């Protein structure tokens, strides 16, 4: 079997990156791992998260014999990329909030960063803003409740419009804001629903295509073999029938259980 590219997230957010990867690398075999036992990551302490992320990724890279790991999670990438690169021998591609393209797109110079509580206040995010959005106003909005809404969407459950509205509300207090960074991989899955709740049109920017381009560079080919190979999935806790159906819509089978050394 052709070694897959392994995509990792706390939950279904990585599926937004899978979409971009399949468009960019239609021949590449993919595998997916999600840490639903620890979902959500965005409200957990940093030290605990680093150890957890390394343990899950190490176990999943071994189980999948992956040729590369895509950390399809801003919360994990802004914290644990160095630790992952120290521990793993395969190339690791991370996800960081799309501050740079958003700053380039904004005409008003006021952009929103919609992400988890962890991501909005990380030093990594501060550095991205200093480097790529100096002179812009960046409105940071922690919207952890939207993570569960994206999980609901993929599991075929209805969204709660009041949760979407409350998540977005702090953005609309800035009348000149014209661009919103979807700085959590769960959020592009909700893009249509979020745009429908917006009181005025804004540009929604995510990192999916940029990650896929980076993976293509790292893999060094545009059309790998193995399209028909099985596309295994691992989870760290049981999943609902709705989520199994949601994964199937993305071409994935029901998850296997990932065993972690520390249980
Ligand atoms: N999908 C993850 C991200 O991109 C976060 C979701 C969570 O809080 O677990 O940040």
């Amino acid at each position: 079997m052709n070694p897959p590219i392994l995509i990792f997230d706390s939950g279904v957010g990585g599926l937004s990156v899978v979409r971009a990867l399949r468009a960019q690398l239609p021949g590449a075999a993919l595998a997916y791992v999600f840490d639903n036992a620890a979902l959500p990551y965005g409200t957990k302490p940093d030290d605990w998260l680093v150890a957890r992320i390394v343990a899950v990724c190490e176990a999943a890279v071994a189980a999948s014999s992956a040729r590369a790991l895509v950390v399809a999670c801003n919360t994990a990438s802004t914290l644990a990329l160095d630790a992952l690169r120290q521990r793993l021998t395969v190339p690791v591609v991370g996800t960081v909030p799309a501050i740079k393209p958003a700053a380039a797109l904004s005409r008003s110079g006021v952009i929103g960063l919609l992400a988890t509580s962890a991501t909005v206040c990380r030093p990594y995010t501060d550095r991205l803003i200093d480097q790529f959005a100096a002179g812009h106003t960046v409105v940071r909005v922690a919207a952890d409740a939207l993570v569960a809404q994206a999980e609901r969407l993929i599991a075929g459950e209805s969204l709660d419009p009041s949760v979407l509205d409350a998540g977005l509300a702090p953005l609309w207090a800035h009348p000149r804001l014209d661009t919103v960074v979807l700085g959590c991989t769960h959020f592009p899955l909700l893009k249509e629903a979020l745009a429908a709740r917006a009181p005025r049109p804004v540009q929604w920017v995510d990192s999916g295509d940029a990650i896929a381009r980076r993976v293509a560079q790292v893999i060094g080919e545009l059309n790998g073999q193995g399209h028909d190979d099985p596309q295994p999935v691992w989870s760290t806790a049981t999943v609902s029938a709705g989520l199994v159906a949601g994964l199937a819509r993305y071409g994935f089978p029901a998850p296997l259980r990932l065993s972690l050394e520390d249980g």
Side-chain angles (χ1 to χ4, degrees), residues 8-14 16-17 32 35 38-44 49 71-78 95 115-119 122 143-144 146-148 151 182-188:
F8 159 69
D9 183 38
S10 55
V12 300
S16 67
V17 176
Y32 193 80
D35 188 10
L39 177 79
Y41 275 179
T43 51
K44 302 239 169 15
L49 270 182
V71 182
C73 175
N74 293 265
T75 307
S77 297
T78 52
T95 305
T116 62
S117 306
T119 298
R122 288 255 160 81
D144 298 287
L146 297 182
V147 172
E151 294 284 330
L182 297 171
C184 166
T185 52
H186 279 72
F187 299 170

Side-chain angles (χ1 to χ4, degrees), residues 12-13 15-16 19-20 98 105 114 146-147 149-151 153-154 159 164-165 168 171-172 178-209 250:
V12 300
L15 296 176
S16 67
R19 213 157 50 183
L105 274 175
L114 197 67
L146 297 182
V147 172
Q149 292 294 302
E151 294 284 330
L153 184 78
I154 298 299
L159 299 180
L164 302 184
D165 289 347
L168 296 175
L171 296 171
W172 313 133
D178 66 356
T179 305
V180 179
V181 177
L182 297 171
C184 166
T185 52
H186 279 72
F187 299 170
L189 301 169
L190 295 170
K191 187 159 114 181
E192 283 173 18
L194 297 176
R197 308 297 303 171
R200 59 176 194 271
V202 292
Q203 310 179 87
W204 305 89
V205 186
D206 67 66
S207 311
D209 290 339
Y250 282 81

